[in-house]
Amino acid sequence: MMIVPMADAHAEQVLEIYRLGIEGGDATFETAVPDWAAFSASRLPGHRFVAVGADGEVLGWAAVSRVSERRVYEGVVEHSVYVHPSAAGRGIGKALLRALIASTEAAGVWTVQSGVFPENAASLALHAACGFRVVGTRSRVARHHGLWRDVVLLERRSPIVD
């Protein structure tokens, strides 16, 4: 497996992995996959990666988005990491998240954050293993398929970016 920058050539497979995450029910509040143009426009270039298997298949992806357009938050991003269900448990998420952390730190980003459903134990464990801390839980923050859902807020403050 190799971690490489996400490119337009990966679009179909990235969006399929996203679709599978949406259908799984515990990855996102989103209910539909955007088209590639919308997906790409909402993620920052330079901090988008895919894990590619020996056969060229995309096994997972990670990317960041701005949390705000305000200058004071220029060093804070929100990230997503998704792994194809057939590739789960092979360290792909950890490799993607580590690549994302390295790229954001190199760019001067001091905080990477995310919101994770508490039922997503694998994601919570992944983030803990990569140095994220639980900030708190937003109880009943929004409805998802008609049910109120909580979100665990996670962040990783860079130890090298001042």
PDB file of all heavy atoms in Angstrom, residues 122-138:
ATOM      1  N   ALA A 122     -14.322   2.215  15.994  1.00  0.00           N
ATOM      2  CA  ALA A 122     -13.072   2.090  15.235  1.00  0.00           C
ATOM      3  C   ALA A 122     -12.465   3.467  14.972  1.00  0.00           C
ATOM      4  O   ALA A 122     -11.248   3.652  15.108  1.00  0.00           O
ATOM      5  CB  ALA A 122     -13.326   1.360  13.917  1.00  0.00           C
ATOM      6  N   SER A 123     -13.279   4.444  14.622  1.00  0.00           N
ATOM      7  CA  SER A 123     -12.773   5.792  14.369  1.00  0.00           C
ATOM      8  C   SER A 123     -12.256   6.426  15.651  1.00  0.00           C
ATOM      9  O   SER A 123     -11.204   7.078  15.650  1.00  0.00           O
ATOM     10  CB  SER A 123     -13.867   6.655  13.746  1.00  0.00           C
ATOM     11  OG  SER A 123     -13.342   7.926  13.398  1.00  0.00           O
ATOM     12  N   LEU A 124     -12.971   6.249  16.743  1.00  0.00           N
ATOM     13  CA  LEU A 124     -12.507   6.807  18.016  1.00  0.00           C
ATOM     14  C   LEU A 124     -11.164   6.204  18.422  1.00  0.00           C
ATOM     15  O   LEU A 124     -10.262   6.920  18.873  1.00  0.00           O
ATOM     16  CB  LEU A 124     -13.558   6.583  19.109  1.00  0.00           C
ATOM     17  CG  LEU A 124     -14.860   7.365  18.920  1.00  0.00           C
ATOM     18  CD1 LEU A 124     -15.894   6.919  19.942  1.00  0.00           C
ATOM     19  CD2 LEU A 124     -14.616   8.868  18.992  1.00  0.00           C
ATOM     20  N   ALA A 125     -10.997   4.904  18.234  1.00  0.00           N
ATOM     21  CA  ALA A 125      -9.729   4.246  18.562  1.00  0.00           C
ATOM     22  C   ALA A 125      -8.611   4.730  17.645  1.00  0.00           C
ATOM     23  O   ALA A 125      -7.474   4.965  18.101  1.00  0.00           O
ATOM     24  CB  ALA A 125      -9.882   2.727  18.467  1.00  0.00           C
ATOM     25  N   LEU A 126      -8.893   4.880  16.362  1.00  0.00           N
ATOM     26  CA  LEU A 126      -7.911   5.387  15.415  1.00  0.00           C
ATOM     27  C   LEU A 126      -7.421   6.768  15.841  1.00  0.00           C
ATOM     28  O   LEU A 126      -6.212   7.032  15.877  1.00  0.00           O
ATOM     29  CB  LEU A 126      -8.517   5.463  14.010  1.00  0.00           C
ATOM     30  CG  LEU A 126      -7.738   6.281  12.981  1.00  0.00           C
ATOM     31  CD1 LEU A 126      -6.383   5.654  12.689  1.00  0.00           C
ATOM     32  CD2 LEU A 126      -8.558   6.441  11.714  1.00  0.00           C
ATOM     33  N   HIS A 127      -8.333   7.638  16.155  1.00  0.00           N
ATOM     34  CA  HIS A 127      -7.955   8.994  16.533  1.00  0.00           C
ATOM     35  C   HIS A 127      -7.149   9.015  17.832  1.00  0.00           C
ATOM     36  O   HIS A 127      -6.162   9.751  17.929  1.00  0.00           O
ATOM     37  CB  HIS A 127      -9.191   9.891  16.603  1.00  0.00           C
ATOM     38  CG  HIS A 127      -9.716  10.235  15.263  1.00  0.00           C
ATOM     39  ND1 HIS A 127     -10.606   9.432  14.586  1.00  0.00           N
ATOM     40  CD2 HIS A 127      -9.436  11.268  14.439  1.00  0.00           C
ATOM     41  CE1 HIS A 127     -10.863   9.974  13.412  1.00  0.00           C
ATOM     42  NE2 HIS A 127     -10.165  11.093  13.296  1.00  0.00           N
ATOM     43  N   ALA A 128      -7.536   8.216  18.790  1.00  0.00           N
ATOM     44  CA  ALA A 128      -6.759   8.142  20.033  1.00  0.00           C
ATOM     45  C   ALA A 128      -5.334   7.672  19.743  1.00  0.00           C
ATOM     46  O   ALA A 128      -4.361   8.208  20.288  1.00  0.00           O
ATOM     47  CB  ALA A 128      -7.445   7.212  21.030  1.00  0.00           C
ATOM     48  N   ALA A 129      -5.183   6.691  18.859  1.00  0.00           N
ATOM     49  CA  ALA A 129      -3.866   6.159  18.510  1.00  0.00           C
ATOM     50  C   ALA A 129      -3.004   7.192  17.785  1.00  0.00           C
ATOM     51  O   ALA A 129      -1.770   7.090  17.803  1.00  0.00           O
ATOM     52  CB  ALA A 129      -4.012   4.907  17.645  1.00  0.00           C
ATOM     53  N   CYS A 130      -3.638   8.181  17.170  1.00  0.00           N
ATOM     54  CA  CYS A 130      -2.903   9.211  16.425  1.00  0.00           C
ATOM     55  C   CYS A 130      -2.789  10.525  17.208  1.00  0.00           C
ATOM     56  O   CYS A 130      -2.467  11.566  16.627  1.00  0.00           O
ATOM     57  CB  CYS A 130      -3.560   9.439  15.070  1.00  0.00           C
ATOM     58  SG  CYS A 130      -3.328   8.055  13.935  1.00  0.00           S
ATOM     59  N   GLY A 131      -3.045  10.479  18.496  1.00  0.00           N
ATOM     60  CA  GLY A 131      -2.809  11.644  19.337  1.00  0.00           C
ATOM     61  C   GLY A 131      -3.945  12.629  19.475  1.00  0.00           C
ATOM     62  O   GLY A 131      -3.754  13.736  19.975  1.00  0.00           O
ATOM     63  N   PHE A 132      -5.144  12.245  19.062  1.00  0.00           N
ATOM     64  CA  PHE A 132      -6.297  13.127  19.237  1.00  0.00           C
ATOM     65  C   PHE A 132      -6.842  12.968  20.648  1.00  0.00           C
ATOM     66  O   PHE A 132      -6.743  11.901  21.245  1.00  0.00           O
ATOM     67  CB  PHE A 132      -7.401  12.775  18.233  1.00  0.00           C
ATOM     68  CG  PHE A 132      -7.113  13.263  16.838  1.00  0.00           C
ATOM     69  CD1 PHE A 132      -6.179  12.618  16.044  1.00  0.00           C
ATOM     70  CD2 PHE A 132      -7.783  14.359  16.328  1.00  0.00           C
ATOM     71  CE1 PHE A 132      -5.915  13.060  14.758  1.00  0.00           C
ATOM     72  CE2 PHE A 132      -7.526  14.813  15.041  1.00  0.00           C
ATOM     73  CZ  PHE A 132      -6.581  14.156  14.252  1.00  0.00           C
ATOM     74  N   ARG A 133      -7.418  14.033  21.155  1.00  0.00           N
ATOM     75  CA  ARG A 133      -8.056  13.982  22.466  1.00  0.00           C
ATOM     76  C   ARG A 133      -9.531  14.307  22.305  1.00  0.00           C
ATOM     77  O   ARG A 133      -9.930  15.004  21.364  1.00  0.00           O
ATOM     78  CB  ARG A 133      -7.403  14.942  23.446  1.00  0.00           C
ATOM     79  CG  ARG A 133      -7.695  16.398  23.179  1.00  0.00           C
ATOM     80  CD  ARG A 133      -7.027  17.328  24.207  1.00  0.00           C
ATOM     81  NE  ARG A 133      -7.409  18.711  23.968  1.00  0.00           N
ATOM     82  CZ  ARG A 133      -8.393  19.331  24.603  1.00  0.00           C
ATOM     83  NH1 ARG A 133      -9.124  18.711  25.511  1.00  0.00           N
ATOM     84  NH2 ARG A 133      -8.666  20.599  24.335  1.00  0.00           N
ATOM     85  N   VAL A 134     -10.317  13.797  23.229  1.00  0.00           N
ATOM     86  CA  VAL A 134     -11.745  14.097  23.247  1.00  0.00           C
ATOM     87  C   VAL A 134     -11.920  15.454  23.924  1.00  0.00           C
ATOM     88  O   VAL A 134     -11.478  15.655  25.052  1.00  0.00           O
ATOM     89  CB  VAL A 134     -12.539  13.009  23.992  1.00  0.00           C
ATOM     90  CG1 VAL A 134     -14.002  13.421  24.156  1.00  0.00           C
ATOM     91  CG2 VAL A 134     -12.432  11.679  23.261  1.00  0.00           C
ATOM     92  N   VAL A 135     -12.548  16.369  23.213  1.00  0.00           N
ATOM     93  CA  VAL A 135     -12.835  17.700  23.747  1.00  0.00           C
ATOM     94  C   VAL A 135     -14.144  17.652  24.527  1.00  0.00           C
ATOM     95  O   VAL A 135     -14.287  18.283  25.560  1.00  0.00           O
ATOM     96  CB  VAL A 135     -12.917  18.735  22.601  1.00  0.00           C
ATOM     97  CG1 VAL A 135     -13.332  20.101  23.125  1.00  0.00           C
ATOM     98  CG2 VAL A 135     -11.595  18.818  21.872  1.00  0.00           C
ATOM     99  N   GLY A 136     -15.079  16.872  24.022  1.00  0.00           N
ATOM    100  CA  GLY A 136     -16.377  16.750  24.663  1.00  0.00           C
ATOM    101  C   GLY A 136     -17.361  16.082  23.727  1.00  0.00           C
ATOM    102  O   GLY A 136     -17.000  15.654  22.631  1.00  0.00           O
ATOM    103  N   THR A 137     -18.592  15.994  24.179  1.00  0.00           N
ATOM    104  CA  THR A 137     -19.648  15.397  23.369  1.00  0.00           C
ATOM    105  C   THR A 137     -20.771  16.400  23.200  1.00  0.00           C
ATOM    106  O   THR A 137     -21.237  16.989  24.177  1.00  0.00           O
ATOM    107  CB  THR A 137     -20.193  14.113  24.027  1.00  0.00           C
ATOM    108  OG1 THR A 137     -19.131  13.177  24.154  1.00  0.00           O
ATOM    109  CG2 THR A 137     -21.319  13.503  23.205  1.00  0.00           C
ATOM    110  N   ARG A 138     -21.159  16.604  21.966  1.00  0.00           N
ATOM    111  CA  ARG A 138     -22.323  17.432  21.678  1.00  0.00           C
ATOM    112  C   ARG A 138     -23.527  16.497  21.652  1.00  0.00           C
ATOM    113  O   ARG A 138     -23.674  15.686  20.752  1.00  0.00           O
ATOM    114  CB  ARG A 138     -22.159  18.149  20.345  1.00  0.00           C
ATOM    115  CG  ARG A 138     -20.978  19.120  20.364  1.00  0.00           C
ATOM    116  CD  ARG A 138     -20.830  19.847  19.078  1.00  0.00           C
ATOM    117  NE  ARG A 138     -21.887  20.861  18.994  1.00  0.00           N
ATOM    118  CZ  ARG A 138     -22.176  21.524  17.883  1.00  0.00           C
ATOM    119  NH1 ARG A 138     -21.511  21.277  16.770  1.00  0.00           N
ATOM    120  NH2 ARG A 138     -23.125  22.427  17.875  1.00  0.00           N
TER     121      ARG A 138
END
